[in-house]
């Protein structure tokens, strides 16, 4: 039984400007399959190797797979569909499988527009995929497919073709039983530019107990589960010793939620001496930093170098709208605490909702100056089609070309400006912020690791800017304020969405959301977080 996994070739000019990120989903799925005895597994990383359709076709032609799987976040869905189409043309008898968050919720649309996909894995992939592979190996596919939970597929009956979804499968309860096969990846390709080091994205927890209206993490993972910190450090030790990984980012939306386990994780890194060999970063909430003020020195000693904070918005009403449960004043204090602990801090601003104005964009810039983060990131609001906020704003969303749902393309059109002006003003914020940092901050940030890291981040920005990859500027034709009238985002306006299929997707977080009063829906700037998972898993860093 030969299994072939494909990481589709999608690029956005977003977080990937910092380097090439290893597709963790392939390692977690391969580890689960190999643990059950399925060792004949191939992996093609079309994204990192920037493979054309012709190059992918040539590689696929040399294989003889029985099963071909791919994963997709929303912006990579068309690339994933195309990869599986090429695979099906070459290997018509192989079973083609797609997983990931987009296919999980939008399976009706995916199966309708890509009939060459035999089956969709809905949710966490490790246990569902294993059961599916066993079914195929036993010759019971497709006869017994209705008995497997967590699938969606098309079938023909007397009335024609219909799309079927089996009941949602349980979430993976024993995360510690999953042993990823990191050896399946091409480690010489995964470099983090700021440190010129190999990078990994291990997983400490899945899910999130918070229910931000713009986010899909809590919807996809459904319940919050944390691994044994020692098991996570075992994984990091393996990554360092076998693959020379010197920097990692925890894939979790918020690894500090369970403070006790996060502290155990830090203490274990220190006890093994890994804190002297490997640096790392996290995304987390402002409230956790305020809560953990007395532990930040420990976190830094454990090797924590970079914290990206979900500050999201500069105005309180914006935070309220997105159920952020934080205050604007908290953001400044959290940033101050991190800087005092010697940790590089990045502030995330989400822009581009329907009522964005020149004034609100300027407000985010002034907030960045006042808060003094080391790094700032302005991301375009990206309305995942399976979130609450998408439904609330549905009458104001005009673009359904999911390939552009990438945090750098203005999906929403503000009432007070066109998309090109929005892009130009965001670029103006970037130019002013990083020019000040380059001239007056980074060169004078001491002589240690923190200074080297910040200068490395500046190098990554400059490199992507010179190559016209940052924010997809080269593709849209933006060369500065003088080019605003010539900007073209190349939207495919013929694409229209099907409804998200979430009726059977029971989530404890969803129930808790319904049980408590909703925050007021006022004017605001929005946000989007990253959700992807094994075939389905991988922070949307790319």
């Amino acid at each position: 039984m030969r299994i072939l996994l494909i990481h589709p070739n999608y690029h956005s000019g977003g977080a990937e400007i910092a380097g090439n990120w290893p597709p963790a989903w392939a390692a977690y799925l391969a580890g689960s399959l190999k643990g059950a005895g399925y060792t004949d597994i191939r992996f093609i990383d079309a994204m990192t190797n920037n493979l054309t359709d012709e190059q992918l076709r040539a590689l696929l032609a040399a294989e003889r797979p029985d099963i071909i799987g791919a994963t997709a976040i929303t912006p990579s869905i068309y690339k994933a569909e195309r990869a599986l189409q090429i695979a099906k043309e070459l290997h018509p008898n192989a079973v083609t499988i797609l997983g990931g968050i987009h296919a999980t919720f939008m399976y009706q649309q995916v199966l309708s527009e890509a009939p060459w996909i035999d089956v969709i894995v809905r949710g966490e992939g490790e246990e569902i995929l294993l059961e599916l592979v066993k079914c195929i190996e036993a010759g019971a596919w497709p006869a017994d497919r209705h008995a497997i939970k967590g699938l969606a597929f098309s079938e023909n009956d007397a009335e024609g073709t219909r799309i079927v979804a089996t009941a949602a499968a349980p979430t993976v309860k024993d995360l510690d039983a999953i042993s990823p096969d990191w050896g399946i990846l091409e480690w010489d390709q995964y470099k983090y530019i700021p440190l010129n080091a190999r990078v990994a994205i291990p997983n400490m927890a899945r899910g999130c107990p918070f229910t931000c209206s713009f986010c899909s993490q809590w919807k996809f993972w459904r319940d919050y589960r944390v691994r044994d910190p020692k098991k996570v450090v075992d994984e990091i030790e393996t990554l360092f010793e076998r693959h020379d990984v010197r920097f990692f980012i925890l894939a979790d939306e918020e690894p500090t939620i369970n403070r006790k386990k996060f502290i155990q994780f830090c203490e274990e890194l220190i006890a093994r001496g890994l804190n002297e060999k490997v640096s790392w970063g996290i995304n987390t909430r402002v409230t956790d930093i305020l809560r953990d003020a007395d532990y930040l020195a420990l976190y830094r000693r454990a090797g924590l170098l970079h914290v990206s904070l979900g500050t999201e918005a500069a105005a309180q009403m914006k935070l309220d709208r997105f159920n952020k449960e934080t205050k604007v004043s908290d953001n400044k204090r959290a940033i101050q605490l991190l800087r005092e602990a010697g940790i590089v801090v990045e502030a995330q601003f989400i822009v581009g909702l329907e009522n964005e104005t020149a004034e609100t964009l300027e407000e985010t810039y002034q907030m960045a100056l006042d808060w003094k983060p080391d790094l700032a990131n302005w991301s375009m609001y990206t309305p995942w089609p399976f979130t609450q906020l998408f439904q609330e704003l549905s009458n104001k969303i005009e673009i359904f070309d999911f390939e552009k749902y990438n945090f750098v393309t203005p999906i929403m059109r503000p009432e007070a400006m066109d998309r090109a002006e929005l892009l130009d003003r965001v670029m103006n914020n970037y130019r002013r912020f990083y020019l000040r940092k380059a001239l007056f901050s980074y060169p004078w940030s001491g002589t240690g690791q923190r200074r080297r890291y910040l200068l490395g981040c500046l190098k990554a920005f400059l490199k992507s800017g010179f190559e016209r990859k940052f924010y997809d500027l080269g593709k849209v034709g933006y060369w500065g304020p003088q080019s605003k009238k010539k900007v073209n985002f190349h939207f495919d306006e013929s694409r229209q969405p099907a409804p998200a299929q979430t009726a059977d997707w029971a989530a404890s977080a969803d129930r808790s959301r319904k049980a408590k009063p909703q925050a007021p829906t006022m004017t605001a700037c929005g946000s989007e977080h990253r959700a992807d998972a094994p075939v389905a898993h991988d922070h949307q860093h790319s």
Side-chain angles (χ1 to χ4, degrees):
M1 177 68 63
R2 175 166 292 183
I3 301 168
L4 177 64
L5 303 177
I6 306 171
H7 193 56
N9 184 17
Y10 177 79
H11 297 271
S12 71
E16 67 190 76
I17 68 169
N20 292 326
W21 304 91
W25 69 271
Y28 282 95
L29 285 182
S32 174
L33 291 168
K34 288 187 176 180
Y38 297 98
T39 58
D40 191 357
I41 301 175
R42 303 284 196 274
F43 175 58
I44 297 175
D45 189 346
M47 177 180 175
T48 300
N49 292 297
N50 198 25
L51 300 180
T52 64
D53 284 356
E54 292 72 23
Q55 290 171 323
L56 177 62
R57 183 182 294 274
L59 288 175
L60 288 170
E63 298 287 344
R64 293 292 180 268
D66 300 292
I67 296 171
I68 306 167
T71 189
I73 52 176
T74 294
S76 67
I77 184 61
Y78 307 135
K79 298 293 187 183
E81 290 174 355
R82 177 58 180 152
L84 290 178
Q85 183 179 26
I86 294 171
K88 197 68 169 178
E89 290 170 357
L90 291 167
H91 306 291
N93 295 324
V95 178
T96 49
I97 305 172
L98 180 65
I101 189 166
H102 188 87
T104 290
F105 292 118
M106 306 296 288
Y107 62 86
Q108 295 255 20
Q109 180 162 353
V110 171
L111 291 171
S112 296
E113 66 191 13
W116 52 85
I117 295 174
D118 292 314
V119 60
I120 284 172
V121 169
R122 302 174 64 220
E124 293 172 272
E126 291 91 352
E127 293 178 352
I128 303 171
L129 181 61
L130 180 56
E131 189 172 354
L132 177 57
V133 168
K134 289 178 178 178
C135 175
I136 295 169
E137 183 184 42
W141 175 268
D144 291 351
R145 56 187 172 175
H146 287 266
I148 302 174
K149 291 183 178 180
L151 301 182
F153 46 82
S154 299
E155 68 176 6
N156 297 317
D157 57 23
E159 298 180 0
T161 302
R162 66 188 183 105
I163 293 172
V164 176
T166 62
T171 55
V172 177
K173 302 307 180 186
D174 186 7
L175 294 181
D176 292 326
I178 300 172
S179 180
D181 177 21
W182 292 107
I184 200 171
L185 304 182
E186 304 171 50
W187 282 104
D188 59 333
Q189 300 279 8
Y190 308 119
K191 284 290 180 69
Y192 187 60
I193 294 173
L195 291 175
N196 190 31
R198 290 188 182 180
V199 61
I201 314 175
N203 182 248
M204 183 170 175
R206 292 185 181 178
C208 182
F210 298 100
T211 57
C212 296
S213 61
F214 53 76
C215 186
S216 51
Q217 279 279 9
W218 61 273
K219 275 183 173 291
F220 181 84
W221 299 108
R222 295 188 285 167
D223 55 344
Y224 177 67
R225 292 145 288 149
V226 189
R227 295 173 61 190
D228 180 346
K230 289 188 177 182
K231 294 282 188 180
V232 183
V233 177
D234 287 344
E235 197 171 314
I236 292 163
E237 194 167 39
T238 297
L239 286 165
F240 170 73
E241 292 179 348
R242 295 185 186 176
H243 307 295
D244 195 31
V245 168
R246 304 277 175 160
F247 185 78
F248 68 87
I249 292 180
L250 288 176
D252 315 26
E253 274 300 283
E254 187 185 357
T256 53
I257 291 175
N258 189 318
R259 182 169 66 179
K260 180 179 178 181
K261 289 203 171 186
F262 189 75
I263 289 173
Q264 291 173 352
F265 171 72
C266 291
E267 291 174 340
E268 189 67 20
L269 286 170
I270 294 169
R272 301 193 199 184
L274 288 169
N275 60 316
E276 301 292 337
K277 304 168 185 174
V278 182
S279 300
W280 49 289
I282 63 171
N283 300 277
T284 195
R285 289 168 62 95
V286 165
T287 49
D288 284 12
I289 298 302
L290 298 177
R291 180 200 69 191
D292 295 354
D294 294 337
Y295 293 93
L296 296 181
L298 170 67
Y299 299 168
R300 179 67 191 98
R301 189 156 61 92
L304 179 58
L305 179 60
H306 184 150
V307 170
S308 180
L309 284 179
T311 50
E312 315 297 8
Q316 186 60 48
M317 64 180 180
K318 298 176 184 180
L319 295 175
D320 292 343
R321 179 179 188 178
F322 300 117
N323 300 333
K324 286 299 294 183
E325 301 175 16
T326 58
K327 294 181 173 60
V328 169
S329 58
D330 294 340
N331 296 332
K332 183 175 181 179
R333 178 59 178 156
I335 290 169
Q336 179 185 359
L337 288 170
L338 286 166
R339 284 173 56 90
E340 289 173 353
I343 298 171
V344 172
V345 56
E346 177 182 359
Q348 298 277 355
F349 294 102
I350 308 302
V351 297
L353 222 69
E354 83 281 4
N355 59 345
E356 194 74 77
T357 65
E359 290 75 20
T360 58
L361 288 167
E362 179 64 21
E363 183 182 28
T364 62
Y365 174 70
Q366 294 300 328
M367 285 287 185
L369 293 185
D370 180 49
W371 296 348
K372 295 182 175 61
D374 298 296
L375 304 164
N377 182 31
W378 284 267
S379 296
M380 296 292 181
Y381 170 68
T382 302
W384 283 163
F386 29 79
T387 61
Q388 175 193 355
L389 201 57
F390 184 93
Q391 304 305 321
E392 293 175 4
L393 297 172
S394 58
N395 63 331
K396 298 177 181 178
I397 299 173
E398 306 167 334
I399 302 299
F400 303 103
D401 181 357
F402 292 135
E403 189 166 6
K404 304 300 193 301
Y405 279 48
N406 52 21
F407 314 111
V408 302
T409 305
I411 299 302
M412 304 290 290
R413 180 175 59 82
E415 297 170 359
M417 66 180 81
D418 62 25
R419 290 183 175 88
E421 182 180 357
L422 170 61
L423 176 64
D424 180 57
R425 289 186 179 276
V426 168
M427 289 302 105
N428 188 40
N429 281 1
Y430 273 112
R431 283 191 295 267
R432 290 183 292 168
F433 181 86
Y434 283 101
L435 181 61
R436 290 174 66 102
K437 290 294 185 182
L439 294 177
F440 306 116
S441 177
Y442 296 165
W444 325 111
S445 299
T447 58
Q449 185 186 39
R450 191 175 188 279
R451 176 177 179 269
R452 292 194 301 272
Y453 184 75
L454 289 170
L455 290 173
C457 290
L458 183 62
K459 175 185 175 182
F461 272 111
L462 293 174
K463 181 177 184 291
S464 65
F466 179 77
E467 294 174 346
R468 311 298 300 154
K469 293 179 180 179
F470 179 65
Y471 244 74
D472 260 356
L473 297 181
K475 292 181 182 178
V476 303
Y478 177 84
W479 292 91
Q482 74 280 2
S483 65
K484 281 192 299 183
K485 296 187 182 302
K486 297 180 181 180
V487 168
N488 184 349
F489 295 106
H490 305 287
F491 293 124
D492 183 349
E493 298 186 14
S494 68
R495 294 189 179 275
Q496 294 296 316
Q501 311 298 319
T502 58
D504 69 335
W505 203 249
S508 57
D510 201 12
R511 290 192 293 270
S512 69
R513 174 191 285 281
K514 294 174 182 177
K516 65 183 181 182
Q518 294 296 298
T521 303
M522 301 182 179
T523 59
C525 170
S527 174
E528 177 52 64
H529 278 281
R530 296 156 288 204
D532 185 7
V535 184
H537 181 115
D538 172 37
H539 242 105
Q540 186 181 320
H541 278 292
S542 300

